Amino acid sequence: YEWRDCYSVGNAIIDQQHKKMLLLCAESEKCLESAGPESCEKFHDLLNEMAVCAREHFAKEEELLLARHYPMLAEHAEEHERFQTALVDFLVSAVQGEQDKIGVFRFLSEWWIHHILVSDLDCKPYFEES
């Protein structure tokens, strides 16, 4: 989970948000190795932080894509919605005492690979700053 220049979409704000999400993916891996009450609290914090980060990030992405007339905006926004729905499910489960740390780790890792490194890079011409 190390940022590489090839991940850049050419927009400083989006790239910074992606870096933050990558850091949270790394944190989810660390949660797999820990146990106990502090681990439980850290896991809840991670999920909450990811929810806030994702909400802000998706809003910014969709704002840029709308302003630049991205033709696949509806499909891209649907991916964002699916992410948020899944994250809410993890949050609800965690509040109920079911901490699926492996599921969260897999989910965030797959999201990074499939959405950010594929979908978002496909949008690069619409994100790039002039």
Side-chain angles (χ1 to χ4, degrees):
Y1 294 103
E2 199 170 301
W3 180 260
R4 296 182 184 171
D5 289 338
C6 64
Y7 299 162
S8 174
V9 295
N11 182 290
I13 293 170
I14 299 297
D15 284 345
Q16 192 59 39
Q17 291 172 335
H18 283 169
K19 288 176 186 178
K20 174 69 174 178
M21 294 176 93
L22 183 61
L23 179 66
L24 292 172
C25 287
E27 289 299 316
S28 75
E29 183 176 39
K30 289 179 187 174
C31 283
L32 295 175
E33 303 163 359
S34 57
E38 284 182 14
S39 172
C40 179
E41 186 176 327
K42 187 174 180 178
F43 185 70
H44 283 259
D45 290 346
L46 169 76
L47 289 172
N48 285 316
E49 191 172 356
M50 181 55 85
V52 170
C53 182
R55 188 171 40 253
E56 292 171 0
H57 173 64
F58 296 157
K60 185 61 178 176
E61 270 194 8
E62 290 173 23
E63 172 190 316
L64 286 171
L65 294 174
L66 179 64
R68 295 174 181 170
H69 309 290
Y70 179 59
M72 303 294 287
L73 177 57
E75 292 83 353
H76 200 82
E78 284 176 24
E79 287 185 36
H80 292 166
E81 185 63 34
R82 284 192 300 273
F83 177 91
Q84 291 181 335
T85 299
L87 195 57
V88 166
D89 290 344
F90 283 119
L91 282 161
V92 169
S93 293
V95 167
Q96 295 173 343
E98 299 172 29
Q99 293 195 340
D100 185 3
K101 293 179 181 181
I102 293 172
V104 168
F105 170 71
R106 285 183 182 152
F107 170 70
L108 294 178
S109 298
E110 288 173 12
W111 176 260
W112 176 259
I113 292 166
H114 297 291
H115 182 77
I116 295 177
L117 296 183
V118 176
S119 295
D120 282 358
L121 283 177
D122 285 346
C123 300
K124 187 173 181 172
Y126 296 89
F127 288 137
E128 290 179 319
E129 297 169 305
S130 312

